[in-house]
């Protein structure tokens, strides 16, 4: 089903890709932010505590021991997975934009990592800390997610504690994010195929 859905869009070219992505991504992101804000403000009295927890654990002795590995390896993996910053792939999509001033597209390009990392990831972190799903004493049933670094599953459980129906919406969002990612990377691959073998390589690719 996913292959057929992706094929219909990418064969239609960049305009169809853009039209599909511009509907899927903002809608999913908007729902996610609204639910996160609801959970954060429903527990507003815990916000200062959560921020204090984040900073105190970030600069603890345990964090210092694992800091080199975390920052250099896992940190870079997460950043690339989150917003592709530094991998060079997003530039392929931004190069296809039609604009009078290139700097405007540069602003759009920098806005993506800001929204994704500073806004969405920060809200996710606050939701997880506020709900304390990572705490082995309060929620021993979720420790497998922590041990196996399954962040999406842990986030789903954290949000389910406050909004019971949200995991269902999150499951749909994950599928749609996967769909939009497949569309994007299919386009990147097509551009690379054209660069290597010429325009006739587009449809066979």
């Amino acid at each position: 089903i996913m292959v057929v859905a992706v094929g219909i869009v990418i064969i239609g070219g960049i305009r169809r890709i853009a039209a599909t992505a511009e509907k899927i991504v903002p809608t999913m992101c908007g729902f996610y932010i609204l639910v996160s804000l609801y959970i954060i403000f429903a527990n507003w009295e815990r916000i200062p505590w959560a921020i204090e927890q984040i900073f105190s654990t970030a600069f603890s002795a345990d964090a210092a021991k694992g800091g080199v590995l975390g920052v250099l390896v896992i940190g870079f993996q997460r950043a690339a997975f989150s917003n592709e910053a530094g991998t060079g792939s997003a530039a392929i999509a931004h190069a296809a934009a039609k604009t009078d001033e290139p700097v405007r597209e540069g602003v759009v390009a920098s806005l993506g990592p800001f929204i994704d990392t500073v806004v969405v990831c920060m809200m996710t972190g606050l939701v997880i800390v506020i709900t304390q799903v990572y705490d082995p004493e309060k929620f021993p049933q979720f420790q497998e997610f922590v041990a196996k670094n399954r962040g999406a599953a842990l986030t789903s459980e954290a949000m389910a504690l406050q909004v019971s129906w949200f995991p269902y919406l999150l499951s749909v969002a994950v599928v749609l994010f996967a769909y939009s990612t497949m569309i994007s990377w299919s386009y990147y691959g097509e551009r690379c195929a054209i660069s290597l073998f010429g325009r006739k390589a587009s449809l066979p690719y």
Side-chain angles (χ1 to χ4, degrees), residues 31-33 35-39 120 123-124 127-128 131 133 153-167 170:
F31 271 124
Y32 190 88
I33 288 173
V35 173
S36 298
L37 283 172
Y38 167 76
I39 294 171
V120 175
M123 285 186 176
T124 304
V127 167
I128 288 172
T131 55
V133 287
L154 190 66
T155 303
S156 179
E157 295 294 349
M159 291 186 161
L161 292 173
Q162 302 284 319
V163 184
S164 60
W165 51 263
F166 190 72
L170 189 61

Side-chain angles (χ1 to χ4, degrees), residues 62-105:
D62 288 338
K65 290 176 192 172
V68 175
L69 175 66
V71 171
L72 293 181
V73 181
I74 300 170
F76 287 145
Q77 286 175 356
R78 287 294 179 187
F81 176 73
S82 175
N83 58 45
E84 302 177 35
T87 60
S89 54
I92 299 171
H94 291 295
K98 301 221 181 283
T99 177
D100 296 329
E101 293 291 338
V103 71
R104 287 168 63 185
E105 192 59 27

Side-chain angles (χ1 to χ4, degrees), residues 193-194 197-205:
I194 290 171
F197 307 113
R199 291 206 166 271
K200 290 183 179 179
S202 176
L203 198 56
Y205 171 83

Side-chain angles (χ1 to χ4, degrees), residues 27-200:
T27 303
M28 291 185 298
C29 193
F31 271 124
Y32 190 88
I33 288 173
L34 285 173
V35 173
S36 298
L37 283 172
Y38 167 76
I39 294 171
I40 290 167
F41 286 111
N43 299 275
W44 62 269
E45 72 282 355
R46 296 178 67 84
I47 295 173
W49 172 85
I51 293 171
E52 189 272 331
Q53 282 290 109
I54 290 168
F55 277 94
S56 63
T57 52
F59 298 106
S60 67
D62 288 338
K65 290 176 192 172
V68 175
L69 175 66
V71 171
L72 293 181
V73 181
I74 300 170
F76 287 145
Q77 286 175 356
R78 287 294 179 187
F81 176 73
S82 175
N83 58 45
E84 302 177 35
T87 60
S89 54
I92 299 171
H94 291 295
K98 301 221 181 283
T99 177
D100 296 329
E101 293 291 338
V103 71
R104 287 168 63 185
E105 192 59 27
V107 171
V108 173
S110 59
L111 190 63
F114 173 80
I115 292 172
D116 182 73
T117 306
V118 177
V119 178
V120 175
C121 290
M122 183 186 73
M123 285 186 176
T124 304
L126 280 172
V127 167
I128 288 172
V129 174
I130 284 171
T131 55
Q132 294 181 278
V133 287
Y134 61 89
D135 192 330
E137 292 182 7
K138 292 192 174 183
F139 299 101
Q141 68 271 33
F142 301 148
Q143 292 315 296
E144 183 185 355
F145 299 148
V146 177
K148 293 184 178 178
N149 208 17
R150 293 177 58 191
L154 190 66
T155 303
S156 179
E157 295 294 349
M159 291 186 161
L161 292 173
Q162 302 284 319
V163 184
S164 60
W165 51 263
F166 190 72
Y168 301 104
L169 183 63
L170 189 61
S171 297
V172 174
V174 167
V175 172
L176 291 175
F177 270 127
Y179 179 55
S180 61
T181 301
M182 289 169 73
I183 291 171
S184 303
W185 279 92
S186 295
Y187 177 71
Y188 297 163
E190 183 201 15
R191 292 290 95 190
C192 292
I194 290 171
S195 178
L196 289 169
F197 307 113
R199 291 206 166 271
K200 290 183 179 179

